[in-house]
Amino acid sequence: MIPHLLGYFRQPLRCYQSLAARHGQPFSVPFPLGGRMAVTGCPLHIGRIFKGGTGLYRSVDASAGMFYGDNSMLSLDGEAHAAMRRALMVPVLRNPAIAARLMREAAVREVSGQKAGAPFDMLDTARSITLDVILQTVFGVLDDAERKEFVQAIQALQGSIGFFAVFVKGLRRDWGPWSPWGRFLRARGRCYALIEGRMAAVRAGGEGRGDSVLEHWLSLRDEAGQPLLSDGQIRDNLLTMLFAGHDSTAVALAWALYWTHREPGVLIALLDELEGYAQRGDIGSLDDTPYLDAVCREALRVHPVAPGVARRLEAPLQLGEYLVPAGDVVMACIDLVSHDPAIYADPQRFMPERFLERGYGHSEFIPFGGGERRCPGAALAFMEMRVVLATLVCRFRFRLLERRALDAVWSHGIRRPESGVRMVLEGRRI
Ligand code: HEM
């Protein structure tokens, strides 16, 4: 178990490729939270995993609620999960035109604050942009003081999640504010207090722009005219959105900007396609930009934010010749399928054109997972990648400081570029 875990955490892709070469797919490894896990990057198996119905799976970690709150869609299973998703699945992009405008403004504001000629970390900049966007999407407009408080509270919560507490349940105990779990609980309490304050303000004064996720959830009613969601359900799921909704998008954006500036041909082709957007600045010019889409898809393919998505089985599941027993975990391995040379020729190379030359199936391109737990923020995240990337390359000239191949390292439960993507702002294009 230990050598597997060490190899996995250092280089998940290499570890899984060597196990797949030795044992075929799916192959089985010990699962840190109990039992074994059948891992597969075969599109046929992945399709089968994603087709499994509501009753087939339960959470891989029964105590997930300890992190996100018991009402979070991340903590629920089976029918309770399906019902919560039905209630909560407002299109996060309720008004795409407004969302795109705020994404563009957030991108310009953040980068305009950089000093020309001084090195900066593009991942940090992307995080500020995506945090701003998700806060405005979830809560509507916040004043500067409120925004600052939310940003500090979310960053403190993120910084408080210890690596070991994720995998060692015994460490999830409150031994005071200096203990790892105690620090986490207090940081989460601060976020709860801010969210509850915002809910009260919206209720009391109708504060808000009218199109925020919070306002929508507060307005939902059941057949008897009673609120559909309790305060606890709204609070836990708002925190889930804030948490799940910014870091992963920032990482994907940072990788897209890294490759765009590492491969000069990619930047040239992108600027060529985006000429209309650069001249007019209207979001409508981004409606038909296949190369921009392909760059974003390729960044998600080469560097999946999560190595795979896992489900614990309630009933046995046949994957090829292997019957995975109930109680074990199955993983649709994003890393393996994204780097399968039979699907993506020369998989280590960043080649956006591959997405122009052919389409990829739902089980071949899975950066957002699939089935009933597919990422509910996928449309928002993809749109944000497109708008922010297009805006930054059209408005600003950047130089990449580290041209070497960057590894991905674990951070706060996802993987990010090891040194954050160091860049220099060389000037403005427009
Ligand atoms: C590039 C950015 C993003 C990537 C790569 C990403 C990826 C993922 C993946 C792989 C999953 C697991 C899916 C599964 O189990 O099949 C997931 C779940 C989730 N994501 Fe995202 N995500 C991104 C952005 C977002 C955003 C912007 C939001 C919120 C607005 C969000 C909210 C969530 C939530 C709430 C879940 C849990 C869904 C459930 O368990 O039912 N994500 N995401």
Side-chain angles (χ1 to χ4, degrees):
M1 164 106 139
I2 301 292
H4 158 68
L5 275 181
L6 288 179
Y8 171 74
F9 281 115
R10 247 185 260 126
Q11 293 280 355
L13 174 61
R14 213 167 293 161
C15 170
Y16 282 161
Q17 278 174 331
S18 86
L19 286 167
R22 234 180 301 153
H23 306 291
Q25 298 183 52
F27 55 85
S28 163
V29 293
F31 188 65
L33 295 169
R36 294 191 69 79
M37 176 165 72
V39 180
T40 180
C42 160
L44 278 175
H45 301 165
I46 291 173
R48 225 172 132 55
I49 292 173
F50 288 159
K51 268 200 199 98
T54 303
L56 184 60
Y57 303 116
R58 63 188 151 88
S59 172
V60 290
D61 177 5
S63 45
M66 293 176 77
F67 281 102
Y68 302 103
D70 290 332
N71 303 295
S72 162
M73 68 176 101
L74 274 165
S75 318
L76 297 172
D77 283 332
E79 195 38 55
H81 171 260
M84 185 62 79
R85 264 190 81 130
R86 275 196 300 277
L88 294 175
M89 275 306 281
V90 251
V92 184
L93 277 173
R94 299 190 64 221
N95 190 331
I98 293 184
R101 224 178 29 243
L102 73 88
M103 288 165 185
R104 186 181 57 195
E105 284 165 10
V108 171
R109 194 166 49 242
E110 279 305 321
V111 173
S112 300
Q114 301 295 343
K115 237 169 79 194
F120 72 98
D121 182 330
M122 184 52 97
L123 177 57
D124 279 348
T125 302
R127 276 196 181 117
S128 302
I129 296 170
T130 57
L131 193 47
D132 202 12
V133 169
I134 194 71
L135 280 170
Q136 294 199 52
T137 307
V138 163
F139 295 118
V141 177
L142 297 172
D143 67 33
D144 282 353
E146 262 183 315
R147 184 185 170 278
K148 213 166 142 193
E149 271 195 295
F150 265 111
V151 169
Q152 279 170 354
I154 291 164
Q155 285 171 345
L157 179 61
Q158 206 167 26
S160 75
I161 297 182
F163 172 82
F164 288 108
V166 174
F167 289 101
V168 186
K169 291 183 197 171
L171 288 180
R172 299 176 196 169
R173 296 239 173 89
D174 185 1
W175 283 303
W178 303 110
S179 64
W181 193 248
R183 210 156 58 95
F184 164 74
L185 289 181
R186 282 155 188 81
R188 191 176 66 175
R190 177 81 196 113
C191 289
Y192 280 171
L194 288 173
I195 291 174
E196 282 158 2
R198 190 72 202 156
M199 283 163 68
V202 170
R203 275 203 181 106
E207 260 186 53
R209 207 173 40 203
D211 63 348
S212 69
V213 173
L214 169 58
E215 285 159 281
H216 182 76
W217 286 352
L218 282 173
S219 74
L220 294 176
R221 293 285 176 271
D222 63 16
E223 283 159 9
Q226 295 303 309
L228 185 66
L229 299 167
S230 70
D231 281 12
Q233 287 172 325
I234 294 181
R235 182 200 65 187
D236 288 358
N237 286 290
L238 285 177
L239 185 63
T240 303
M241 294 282 237
L242 290 178
F243 212 72
H246 83 280
D247 215 19
S248 36
T249 316
V251 166
L253 255 170
W255 280 121
L257 281 150
Y258 165 78
W259 283 107
T260 308
H261 290 82
R262 193 172 150 190
E263 302 286 331
V266 174
L267 183 58
I268 291 168
L270 202 51
L271 287 172
D272 192 36
E273 182 180 81
L274 295 173
E275 210 182 323
Y277 180 60
Q279 279 168 4
R280 294 188 294 280
D282 65 318
I283 298 289
S285 316
L286 297 181
D287 283 349
D288 184 20
T289 46
Y291 193 73
L292 172 66
D293 294 10
V295 170
C296 296
R297 288 203 172 92
E298 184 69 341
L300 288 163
R301 182 197 70 81
V302 177
H303 305 285
V305 172
V309 294
R311 319 264 191 261
R312 198 179 285 280
L313 291 172
E314 285 282 42
L317 180 69
Q318 188 79 41
L319 293 181
E321 289 171 10
Y322 186 52
L323 183 69
V324 190
D328 272 10
V329 172
V330 284
M331 183 207 252
C333 187
I334 307 177
D335 272 355
L336 277 177
V337 70
S338 309
H339 289 86
D340 182 342
I343 304 171
Y344 299 100
D346 216 348
Q348 294 307 325
R349 280 195 58 202
F350 188 83
M351 297 196 300
E353 311 74 42
R354 68 173 90 240
F355 282 95
L356 303 177
E357 285 156 11
R358 62 158 278 199
Y360 292 92
H362 290 309
S363 305
E364 293 176 326
F365 181 66
I366 57 163
F368 296 105
E372 283 153 2
R373 298 202 90 102
R374 185 176 189 269
C375 176
L380 177 84
F382 197 68
M383 177 177 183
E384 192 168 359
M385 286 182 75
R386 298 171 69 252
V387 172
V388 174
L389 178 62
T391 303
L392 294 185
V393 297
C394 287
R395 295 228 178 181
F396 303 98
R397 275 186 298 110
F398 300 105
R399 180 163 49 84
L400 192 60
L401 280 177
E402 288 177 302
R403 301 192 61 77
R404 69 189 170 95
L406 290 186
D407 273 338
V409 293
W410 286 96
S411 158
H412 308 129
I414 59 172
R415 292 171 306 174
R416 60 165 177 81
E418 53 179 323
S419 55
V421 182
R422 309 278 304 149
M423 287 190 151
V424 164
L425 172 63
E426 297 208 302
R428 297 184 75 105
R429 285 188 207 278
I430 46 172

